[in-house]
Amino acid sequence: MKTPLLSVVIPTWNRAQLVRDAICSVLAQREGLVEAIVVDDASTDSTIELLEREFGDRIRLLRLEHRRGPGGARNAGAHLARGEFVGFLDSDDVWLHGKFDAELEVFARF
């Protein structure tokens, strides 16, 4: 992958049933220009297995050995970001299609 324009950090903990939708909404924004960084905050459910099986190398996956909480997981993910912009998305939320394009338009205008 070339240098992404946007790095999106998604912290998650025991959200195997929800995180998939969050990741898909990020990857659908701008193919090839967005990196999804998923930080697993020491989940004890099947989150890691799901992420590896469903997304493989389409996401950057960081697994924390000890819980740090959402803020600690966001900070750990932000340290890995390679994009010009960094966004944050909770693992139980989604971005609407075109969100990033709309933000870029506003950024360019102002």
Side-chain angles (χ1 to χ4, degrees):
M1 172 192 251
K2 62 183 178 178
T3 303
L5 183 59
L6 173 65
S7 298
V8 181
V9 177
I10 304 171
T12 190
W13 180 70
N14 289 343
R15 291 256 172 100
Q17 301 303 317
L18 296 173
V19 69
R20 182 185 183 285
D21 290 340
I23 296 167
C24 287
S25 78
V26 167
L27 295 177
Q29 292 298 313
R30 276 200 162 201
E31 190 172 335
L33 294 178
V34 177
E35 74 172 340
I37 302 168
V38 182
V39 183
D40 179 76
D41 196 14
S43 290
T44 57
D45 68 356
S46 61
T47 298
I48 289 292
E49 293 80 12
L50 173 126
L51 296 175
E52 290 173 341
R53 182 180 66 247
E54 292 267 336
F55 298 101
D57 64 358
R58 293 189 301 149
I59 64 171
R60 295 180 67 198
L61 178 58
L62 173 62
R63 183 172 190 180
L64 303 179
E65 291 186 30
H66 304 285
R67 293 245 16 234
R68 296 188 195 174
R74 282 185 193 94
N75 288 337
H79 280 65
L80 297 178
R82 297 181 293 204
E84 183 177 348
F85 301 99
V86 177
F88 299 94
L89 177 63
D90 290 337
S91 59
D92 64 347
D93 202 355
V94 296
W95 281 357
L96 297 177
H97 184 72
K99 174 196 185 300
F100 186 47
D101 286 332
E103 290 173 340
L104 286 175
E105 183 178 316
V106 171
F107 186 77
R109 197 178 303 165
F110 298 101

